[in-house]
Amino acid sequence: MNDHSAALQAKREELLRSGVEMLDPAAVYVEPQVTVGRGTLLLPGTILRGETRVGEGCQLGPDVMLTGCQVGDGCVINASQCEESVIEKDCQIGPYTHIRPHCTVGEGSKIGAFVQLKNCTLGKGTKMAHLTYVGDTDVGDGCNFGCGTITCNYDGFHKYRSTIGSGVFVGCNTNLVSPVRVGDGAYIAAGTTVTGDVPDGALAIGRSRQSNKEGWAAANREKKSKQ
């Protein structure tokens, strides 16, 4: 056994003695500086690097990599990567979440499948279930982001920051063109592109009206079949 392998094994044994649980210790990688709280379960494929600090009663893995992160008590992180960020207690992260540097995820938040966060702060109890990108944005408490929501924070030259208040409902397939401010309790209708501020408690709708052309589909199929 080389020095690196010996140090890795010693770290595993140290954590096990302190009350950390591992289903398969050989499938867990923890660097020397990392601390993990009692009662936390490390599932196979968990990689903890740098100055990572994990609280008590968490479940990490399978297939999680944390680099320089602080994770509060009672968090569940599944099949995700987080870098240089703070995840407050009782959060659920993943699967397939990417939290990039300089993020804070507020207590009790749920960040789900194929969500990426970058340089943003989220308040308590905010939910982003799937397919969402939020960057350079400050988000309040108790917000809900629908699938397909993105912040358009880069114009090819500069990054811009947006603010979203507390209790905001963001409908599916919303584009937030930064910099914008969305007030507390506002609703954004599905399919909206937000280019201006939304007042507290307002409904923002930014999409064209639906137009139905009766008989078009049948006529088009007939036309194509004759070509």
Side-chain angles (χ1 to χ4, degrees):
M1 182 180 293
N2 61 33
D3 290 345
H4 179 75
S5 297
L8 179 58
Q9 181 60 25
K11 184 64 178 182
R12 294 190 191 110
E13 293 173 357
E14 172 196 320
L15 292 175
L16 289 167
R17 287 193 301 270
S18 70
V20 175
E21 302 174 17
M22 304 179 197
L23 287 186
D24 182 1
V28 171
Y29 177 95
V30 183
E31 292 186 345
Q33 308 95 309
V34 171
T35 63
V36 182
R38 178 177 295 275
T40 287
L41 173 61
L42 305 182
L43 295 171
T46 297
I47 300 172
L48 306 179
R49 307 183 63 188
E51 300 291 338
T52 292
R53 303 284 181 264
V54 179
E56 298 182 352
C58 297
Q59 179 175 299
L60 306 184
D63 302 324
V64 163
M65 183 163 71
L66 306 181
T67 304
C69 290
Q70 298 180 41
V71 178
D73 296 342
C75 289
V76 176
I77 306 178
N78 173 23
S80 298
Q81 294 192 19
C82 310
E83 303 146 20
E84 299 173 21
S85 292
V86 175
I87 300 169
E88 296 182 350
K89 68 178 184 178
D90 298 326
C91 288
Q92 296 182 30
I93 309 295
Y96 316 121
T97 298
H98 186 190
I99 299 178
R100 293 165 59 187
H102 312 304
C103 290
T104 298
V105 179
E107 175 183 339
S109 292
K110 297 181 180 180
I111 312 300
F114 304 105
V115 174
Q116 184 178 100
L117 305 178
K118 175 256 180 185
N119 191 25
C120 62
T121 61
L122 309 183
K124 296 181 180 180
T126 284
K127 299 178 182 179
M128 300 177 186
H130 42 200
L131 297 167
T132 295
Y133 167 70
V134 176
D136 299 311
T137 302
D138 299 304
V139 179
D141 299 336
C143 294
N144 187 89
F145 285 68
C147 143
T149 296
I150 66 168
T151 52
C152 309
N153 55 312
Y154 182 52
D155 65 359
F157 299 94
H158 303 288
K159 301 289 180 68
Y160 299 92
R161 196 165 192 90
S162 285
T163 301
I164 297 172
S166 294
V168 173
F169 180 90
V170 182
C172 294
N173 294 320
T174 290
N175 303 307
L176 295 146
V177 183
S178 300
V180 292
R181 179 191 176 279
V182 179
D184 293 342
Y187 269 62
I188 300 175
T192 291
T193 295
V194 178
T195 57
D197 292 351
V198 181
D200 294 357
L203 169 65
I205 305 175
R207 61 191 184 206
S208 61
R209 290 186 176 274
Q210 180 173 321
S211 175
N212 297 329
K213 298 183 178 181
E214 297 289 342
W216 182 92
N220 183 64
R221 283 193 291 270
E222 182 178 359
K223 177 182 176 181
K224 296 297 184 183
S225 67
K226 293 178 179 178
Q227 292 180 347

